[in-house]
Amino acid sequence: MFTGCSHTTSPFRLGGKWTAKIIRCLEDGPRRFSELEVPLGTITPKVLTETLRSMERDGLITRAVGGAMPPRVDYELSALGRTLLAPMAACCAWAAEHLPELRDAREAYEGAPVSDGAAAR
């Protein structure tokens, strides 16, 4: 069991579909909402808004509203958010190194017969 990390306060939001992708999009500097929509492709505005809000709430990004009309809103990785770049790079390197093994394991799993005593997949 993890010490200091309860199931209700887990800081790991990276398991979500979009958080890591948004972090990568903001890696090179601030972007506007519409500038995030383009590289994320299939994300809906609602899901992007919800994800950005949760990331801001967790301190991973900052939201800056400019004084222009209409207001210019920029999203940027916070110092805390930037600390995730190195672990994410390590995960990407691990995945690249082990991708053939992952594919083999998935193919073996999908091709394996389900026995009578095994739980349904």
Side-chain angles (χ1 to χ4, degrees):
M1 178 103 189
F2 292 89
T3 55
C5 188
S6 75
H7 71 283
T8 59
T9 60
S10 176
F12 299 107
R13 252 183 232 287
L14 293 178
K17 181 176 181 177
W18 298 107
T19 304
K21 293 176 183 182
I22 292 170
I23 289 171
R24 285 288 185 206
C25 287
L26 295 174
E27 184 174 9
D28 294 328
R31 287 188 169 191
R32 298 178 78 174
F33 190 92
S34 60
E35 294 172 325
L36 290 169
E37 286 180 301
V38 173
L40 295 173
T42 60
I43 193 168
T44 65
K46 178 183 184 243
V47 171
L48 179 55
T49 298
E50 290 170 351
T51 306
L52 290 169
R53 284 181 183 161
S54 69
M55 292 174 72
E56 184 181 10
R57 182 185 65 232
D58 288 346
L60 300 178
I61 63 171
T62 59
R63 180 178 181 269
V65 180
M69 270 303 174
R72 178 184 171 99
V73 179
D74 288 302
Y75 297 91
E76 184 172 15
L77 285 177
S78 66
L80 180 62
R82 290 205 160 279
T83 65
L84 290 169
L85 294 173
M88 286 175 56
C91 288
C92 289
W94 181 90
E97 181 180 341
H98 296 285
L99 188 57
E101 295 167 80
L102 289 170
R103 285 187 182 137
D104 291 347
R106 289 176 182 172
E107 287 174 12
Y109 179 87
E110 293 301 323
V114 178
S115 65
D116 291 340
R121 290 187 186 163

